[in-house]
């Protein structure tokens, strides 16, 4: 439902033609440390519990809620994902696991994901500079809506 809400918020922003978030000084107008830290904390807890990259949620939240331009948040969320991913891997590697449950990282699979992720980040960073902000926001909204729809459909089809 959070993904669907974020998609709707982005689409609403695009529909009303809100260009405020794409102004050159937008990255300094709409956020404060006090607004980002609690959001990052909640996203970190969710990411740690489910094993997903927090940047996948952080970027849409920053764009939809704080109206920051995608060009400004992409590098920061990728770096945040790197830091939190490394911390998560270390926690899962070295913290004691409950009896009978394997929580250690699969290093080979993680390295393969990392190689694909680095290649994707490089390609995305190169392409992003050539794509207008509105197209990036529309693409983000569509991806979020499709993911939300897949989750809802999966829930409804569960037996």
């Amino acid at each position: 439902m959070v993904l669907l809400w974020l998609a709707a918020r982005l689409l609403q922003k695009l529909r009303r033609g809100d260009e405020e978030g794409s102004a050159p000084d937008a990255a300094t107008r709409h956020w404060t440390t006090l607004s980002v830290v609690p959001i990052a904390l909640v996203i970190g807890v969710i990411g740690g519990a489910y094993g997903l990259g927090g940047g996948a949620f952080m970027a849409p939240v920053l764009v939809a809620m704080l109206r920051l331009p995608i060009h400004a948040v992409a590098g920061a969320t990728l770096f945040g994902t790197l830091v939190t991913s490394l911390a998560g891997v270390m926690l899962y590697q070295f913290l004691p696991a409950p009896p009978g449950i394997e929580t250690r990282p699969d290093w080979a699979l993680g390295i393969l994901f990392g190689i694909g992720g680095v290649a994707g980040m490089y390609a995305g960073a190169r392409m992003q500079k050539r794509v207008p902000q509105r197209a990036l926001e529309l693409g983000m909204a569509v991806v979020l809506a499709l993911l939300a729809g897949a989750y809802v459909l999966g829930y409804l089809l569960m037996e």
Side-chain angles (χ1 to χ4, degrees):
M1 297 315 294
V2 172
L3 295 175
L4 191 57
W5 177 78
L6 287 170
R9 189 153 167 133
L10 280 171
L11 290 172
Q12 179 185 29
K13 175 184 172 194
L14 290 169
R15 185 178 50 102
R16 64 172 195 256
D18 184 2
E19 291 297 323
E20 191 175 339
S22 58
D25 63 340
T28 59
R29 278 190 308 182
H30 296 293
W31 68 276
T32 65
T33 304
L34 293 177
S35 65
V36 174
V37 170
I39 293 169
L41 177 66
V42 170
I43 290 172
V45 169
I46 294 168
Y50 290 102
L52 49 86
F57 284 111
M58 192 62 154
V61 167
L62 292 175
V63 172
M65 291 179 61
L66 301 182
R67 299 187 320 207
L68 293 172
I70 292 176
H71 297 93
V73 302
T77 56
L78 287 171
F79 183 70
T81 300
L82 171 68
V83 171
T84 56
S85 294
L86 291 174
V89 166
M90 293 299 112
L91 287 173
Y92 278 100
Q93 178 65 37
F94 297 114
L95 283 180
I101 298 176
E102 179 58 46
T103 62
R104 304 288 184 257
D106 180 337
W107 289 95
L109 191 58
I111 289 169
L112 290 174
F113 286 163
I115 291 169
V118 167
M121 283 188 301
Y122 178 77
R126 300 270 309 179
M127 287 186 279
Q128 179 203 50
K129 296 173 183 175
R130 294 172 176 80
V131 180
Q133 172 78 14
R134 289 183 59 81
L136 291 170
E137 288 176 352
L138 178 61
M140 182 182 283
V142 168
V143 168
L144 291 172
L146 290 173
L147 284 171
Y151 279 122
V152 169
L153 188 60
Y155 176 78
L156 294 175
L157 296 178
M158 272 188 348
E159 295 182 278

